[in-house]
Amino acid sequence: MRRRTVLTTAILAGVATPGIARAADPGPSVTRKSTSRLDAQAVYFVSYDGLVNNNSFQKNGLFTYRGYQYAGWYTSTGAAVIGRRVLGGSSWATVTLAHQLKSSDSHNVISMGVSQVDGRLHINMDSHSDGFFYVKSVAGLLDDPGSTAWTSAAFGAVQTSLDGVSPTSQFTYPQFVSTPEGRLQLSYRVGISGNGRNALAEYDGSRWTVLGEWTGAGGTYTSAHGSSTARNMYLHGIDYDVDGRLHAFFTWREQSGAVMCNSGGITNHDTGYVYSTDRGRTWRNDAGALVATTGTSDTVTVTDPGLVVDPLDPDHSLMNQESQWTDSAGLPHAVISYVPGRFGQCTTNYVGDRTANGRAFHVRKNSSGTWQKTEIPVPLNSSQRTKLVLDRYDNAYAVFPYGRIAGASKASGYTDWALLYDGGGLNAFGEVVIDETRIGADHVLSFMYQEASSGTTPSALHVVDFALPG
């Protein structure tokens, strides 16, 4: 999510000189500025094809707030560390939390959020289908960082609840998101892969409240090969736009492999979309029809009408949890990836087939309300996820595995996708973690990546910065 940015001088020029066309907005571009090292020896192991410090689905593993940038990671010994720096600076101040990574599971990521109502930093760690570990800072820590001591004393004790509130015993995929009023919401999955439900909790500056589940696992889905009666919704994100609407793209993952053409594939299917205009209390499909009320038995299920905006069966290794964004008009965009039908109608090894033939696609809703999809002409060369961001001019950027960056202009209708940066010199393992908030702060694309290694040999963890059109 990013706030609307108004190019004041251009508007004034247009008003002051009627009849003279204003200069066209610039197209997409990236200029590498600098790289800073977070840790020379960060923990390294590959599980679920990913790294625990660089799983792209971790929302706010890297973020910017009030002129400072914050990052979270695990050291070579598994210690959880939170770092901060003045925006654009080269030196990071670090605090080691009283928590150790509990297992070699790349889903046990560190996710962070800011409750703007009281200036606290909230941290969730080590959660994959079981409990979680939670830390929150003292009030005001992030409000005036230049005069606030960055020490362990600024953080409270490690908890296994949200200040005494226990949402579920099967907790996965924490994603913090700030509401327009400055409250903090926490999205998470209840249950397990193939049989889980999405839920929300909310912090109002004094306490956490569980709002409840808003998706359901039930219903029957039938493909050309068979049926499944349980599943979970994997979110591409959950983000507020400039007008306060909450957007969520998603894919379904079926529990039963009977829906696939081959057991080596993956049961993900369809790209869906829902939104909320009341801070996640109710949910509507693209046509505006009510499809769920959070915390009740009326949840979003696979049988609800009007959810799918890009249909795809389970035979093409569609990836879950990729990326989404909203533009300056509040229109939703997403990036998805799969193996297109021109390479065959049945993937038999989702890692191998995605690496050999996977492609990413830009899916968006245009100003007339129509959904459009454009293939990005850059091979994935990976089984992993791609991230999507938009700049102040609504140009789009896809950040591929290994740190490669492609861009497309709004002026072209996002039809001119081209590679802008090939990732050369990064030696990035694969997925990267984007700083979603920095783009609005100073027009810089900043992402965290870890150098490729082998086995369990630790490797360097970095943040690299690219200037976008100003």
Side-chain angles (χ1 to χ4, degrees):
M1 187 273 289
R2 70 178 182 88
R3 300 294 182 189
R4 188 193 306 269
T5 303
V6 179
L7 189 56
T8 306
T9 55
I11 291 177
L12 290 175
V15 171
T17 55
I20 300 177
R22 53 173 279 186
D25 288 342
S29 66
V30 293
T31 303
R32 185 170 172 177
K33 290 165 57 71
S34 62
T35 301
S36 63
R37 191 173 68 186
L38 291 168
D39 194 330
Q41 296 283 294
V43 69
Y44 187 97
F45 58 85
V46 180
S47 89
Y48 298 97
D49 303 313
L51 302 181
V52 72
N53 285 330
N54 278 96
N55 250 318
S56 68
F57 56 72
Q58 64 187 100
K59 195 171 183 68
N60 298 332
L62 179 72
F63 75 94
T64 292
Y65 187 72
R66 297 201 173 185
Y68 276 68
Q69 190 173 43
Y70 299 84
W73 71 94
Y74 296 104
T75 69
S76 61
T77 62
V81 172
I82 307 299
R84 76 172 185 183
R85 66 171 174 172
V86 174
L87 201 59
S90 59
S91 176
W92 292 81
T94 61
V95 170
T96 301
L97 303 178
H99 178 72
Q100 293 285 127
L101 179 65
K102 67 183 180 183
S103 64
S104 296
D105 182 336
S106 67
H107 286 66
N108 289 333
V109 299
I110 297 175
S111 295
M112 298 182 288
V114 181
S115 51
Q116 298 173 12
V117 289
D118 60 1
R120 295 183 193 266
L121 175 62
H122 300 252
I123 305 161
N124 188 291
M125 304 170 285
D126 247 338
S127 54
H128 188 197
S129 301
D130 49 16
F132 61 84
F133 297 87
Y134 167 71
V135 175
K136 74 175 183 183
S137 75
V138 297
L141 179 65
L142 273 61
D143 284 341
D144 187 14
S147 60
T148 307
W150 187 251
T151 67
S152 58
F155 294 87
V158 178
Q159 307 177 47
T160 55
S161 68
L162 300 173
D163 295 336
V165 175
S166 299
T168 174
S169 61
Q170 293 182 309
F171 182 101
T172 314
Y173 302 127
Q175 295 192 51
F176 289 106
V177 59
S178 295
T179 72
E181 301 81 15
R183 296 185 178 191
L184 184 66
Q185 293 182 324
L186 176 60
S187 169
Y188 57 95
R189 186 185 72 192
V190 177
I192 61 174
S193 176
N195 191 5
R197 293 92 62 201
N198 289 327
L200 285 172
E202 186 174 87
Y203 176 77
D204 64 3
S206 60
R207 64 190 181 97
W208 281 97
T209 301
V210 173
L211 302 182
E213 299 173 11
W214 61 276
T215 74
T220 298
Y221 168 78
T222 301
S223 73
H225 314 290
S227 297
S228 177
T229 57
R231 67 205 47 83
N232 70 273
M233 176 194 287
Y234 274 114
L235 295 176
H236 287 324
I238 185 165
D239 300 278
Y240 284 97
D241 68 17
V242 66
D243 297 316
R245 176 175 288 195
L246 186 60
H247 301 260
F249 284 91
F250 62 88
T251 60
W252 295 109
R253 174 174 292 178
E254 298 299 321
Q255 183 181 56
S256 174
V259 301
M260 295 188 294
C261 61
N262 186 280
S263 61
I266 193 168
T267 61
N268 296 341
H269 63 91
D270 296 321
T271 297
Y273 168 78
V274 290
Y275 70 90
S276 173
T277 57
D278 55 8
R279 308 303 187 255
R281 270 61 175 182
T282 61
W283 295 89
R284 299 181 180 275
N285 66 15
D286 182 46
L290 183 68
V291 289
T293 301
T294 300
T296 73
S297 59
D298 181 17
T299 56
V300 181
T301 65
V302 73
T303 57
D304 283 329
L307 301 180
V308 177
V309 297
D310 188 64
L312 188 70
D313 62 41
D315 295 340
H316 294 273
S317 294
L318 175 68
M319 181 48 65
N320 50 284
Q321 297 165 290
E322 290 220 77
S323 187
Q324 65 175 45
W325 204 266
T326 57
D327 64 24
S328 60
L331 295 170
H333 298 240
V335 65
I336 65 174
S337 67
Y338 58 88
V339 178
R342 66 179 181 271
F343 297 109
Q345 297 299 327
C346 178
T347 56
T348 59
N349 181 311
Y350 87 90
V351 172
D353 290 339
R354 284 179 55 83
T355 302
N357 297 312
R359 297 293 188 272
F361 298 81
H362 177 209
V363 177
R364 68 183 181 100
K365 189 174 186 178
N366 64 26
S367 58
S368 65
T370 302
W371 289 95
Q372 295 182 278
K373 182 170 74 170
T374 304
E375 181 175 335
I376 303 174
V378 178
L380 290 183
N381 297 330
S382 170
S383 65
Q384 297 174 300
R385 298 172 180 88
T386 297
K387 301 293 289 184
L388 176 71
V389 304
L390 271 65
D391 67 19
R392 67 184 301 186
Y393 303 105
D394 288 334
N395 299 311
Y397 302 81
V399 186
F400 286 86
Y402 316 119
R404 297 167 295 155
I405 305 171
S409 67
K410 177 185 179 181
S412 73
Y414 305 101
T415 60
D416 59 353
W417 282 98
L419 190 66
L420 304 177
Y421 176 72
D422 66 2
L426 298 184
N427 189 32
F429 164 80
E431 292 182 1
V432 302
V433 173
I434 298 287
D435 184 337
E436 298 179 359
T437 50
R438 186 170 180 184
I439 292 170
D442 65 354
H443 317 302
V444 170
L445 171 59
S446 188
F447 63 78
M448 183 166 64
Y449 71 94
Q450 188 159 353
E451 292 186 24
S453 185
S454 61
T456 58
T457 302
S459 67
L461 184 69
H462 304 275
V463 174
V464 61
D465 300 332
F466 296 85
L468 300 177

